[in-house]
Amino acid sequence: MMIIGITGTIASGKSTLVKLLTREKHKVFESDKYASKILGDQDVLKGIKEEFRGTSGLICNDGSINKPLLRDLVFGSKENLKKLEKITHPAIKKKEKEFVRKCAINRKSKVFLDIPLLLETDYHKRCDFIINLFVNKTIQKYRALARGNMTEETFNFIYEKQKKTNNKLVKIFHMNLNSGSGMFHVKKNLTIFLKRIKIIKKKNVWPSIYCKYL
């Protein structure tokens, strides 16, 4: 089974690619979706309460996390972001491992991992191939600011944090995919890429290498 990572800076087209892959009946692990759900996990909730204790209004009356306030705390503060990632990442990794194992049991030939921080650590080493999405920064900024919860300050913080990791791509077989050229272009180049990697002879990362870096 091949594991294909999806990465790219903010608003580079990852969600559009995931929708396309899902329509084509491919299995995709969407890290951001699990990250949002995990905030309701009791262990994660306890960790956030302890790590950010003293922050007024962080815990709502029903005991849930005030997500907009939490976002404001971590975006713009590398220290707070690291604190949150230390709490949430183990839980997200567990969900990912369950997803990949289930796909392997069901004999899927390939799976996709949509993980924003794929290149920031050794996470990219648990992928056979990577699709790196990019787009003109002007378009990227326009897309990001069109989101209701995004400010220019937050966009710049995330963009600068993510773009520094792209040099790691030279170490792994990947495709750079420009999402600003339209859906037809994206679909066409994705089809070419999937056909190309199908004939490449390499030892797949699943399961031994994958489990080592998870």
Side-chain angles (χ1 to χ4, degrees):
M1 183 176 72
M2 290 189 295
I3 298 179
I4 304 167
I6 300 171
T7 192
T9 52
I10 181 173
S12 58
K14 296 187 295 296
S15 297
T16 299
L17 178 61
V18 168
K19 287 178 183 177
L20 174 60
L21 290 168
T22 303
R23 284 203 300 267
E24 296 292 326
K25 307 300 182 183
H26 293 294
K27 292 294 183 180
V28 185
F29 179 84
E30 298 178 66
S31 180
D32 281 347
K33 281 190 176 181
Y34 281 96
S36 181
K37 293 177 182 178
I38 279 169
L39 290 179
D41 181 270
Q42 289 304 308
D43 289 335
V44 172
L45 188 60
K46 182 181 177 182
I48 292 174
K49 286 179 180 179
E50 291 177 354
E51 196 63 62
F52 296 97
R53 59 182 174 274
T55 303
S56 179
L58 183 59
I59 307 301
C60 300
N61 292 334
D62 62 359
S64 64
I65 294 290
N66 183 332
K67 293 180 182 179
L69 179 55
L70 181 63
R71 183 177 60 247
D72 291 341
L73 282 173
V74 300
F75 287 140
S77 171
K78 292 181 180 179
E79 182 181 353
N80 284 343
L81 183 59
K82 285 182 179 179
K83 287 179 181 179
L84 180 62
E85 290 172 351
K86 188 177 180 180
I87 298 167
T88 59
H89 281 189
I92 296 172
K93 285 181 181 180
K94 182 180 178 181
K95 292 294 183 182
E96 180 194 322
K97 191 173 183 178
E98 291 171 356
F99 167 85
V100 172
R101 183 180 291 146
K102 183 177 179 180
C103 289
I105 291 172
N106 291 326
R107 298 184 178 279
K108 299 297 180 183
S109 61
K110 66 179 81 68
V111 294
F112 295 82
L113 305 180
D114 175 19
I115 304 176
L117 301 174
L118 190 66
L119 299 173
E120 294 216 347
T121 60
D122 284 335
Y123 292 178
H124 64 286
K125 293 181 180 178
R126 67 181 191 262
C127 298
D128 294 293
F129 307 100
I130 287 178
I131 299 174
N132 178 51
L133 287 141
F134 70 97
V135 71
N136 178 279
K137 187 180 178 182
T138 302
I139 298 174
Q140 188 175 7
K141 186 176 181 179
Y142 174 80
R143 287 177 179 174
L145 294 180
R147 300 172 180 176
N149 58 359
M150 184 63 60
T151 65
E152 187 166 350
E153 182 182 9
T154 302
F155 167 77
N156 289 331
F157 173 78
I158 299 173
Y159 178 83
E160 292 300 324
K161 185 176 186 292
Q162 292 178 336
K163 76 173 186 178
K164 295 175 183 177
T165 63
N166 281 354
N167 61 332
K168 289 187 178 181
L169 283 169
V170 299
K171 300 177 182 179
I172 187 169
F173 190 93
H174 67 279
M175 171 181 68
N176 288 318
L177 183 57
N178 186 347
S179 68
S181 300
M183 182 59 75
F184 177 78
H185 168 83
V186 170
K187 188 173 183 178
K188 177 183 176 182
N189 283 276
L190 174 64
T191 301
I192 293 171
F193 178 72
L194 294 181
K195 285 181 179 179
R196 187 178 179 189
I197 63 175
K198 203 172 181 179
I199 60 175
I200 293 176
K201 297 185 183 300
K202 70 181 291 294
K203 181 179 173 58
N204 290 343
V205 299
W206 171 262
S208 57
I209 299 173
Y210 173 84
C211 293
K212 177 182 176 182
Y213 287 103
L214 185 65

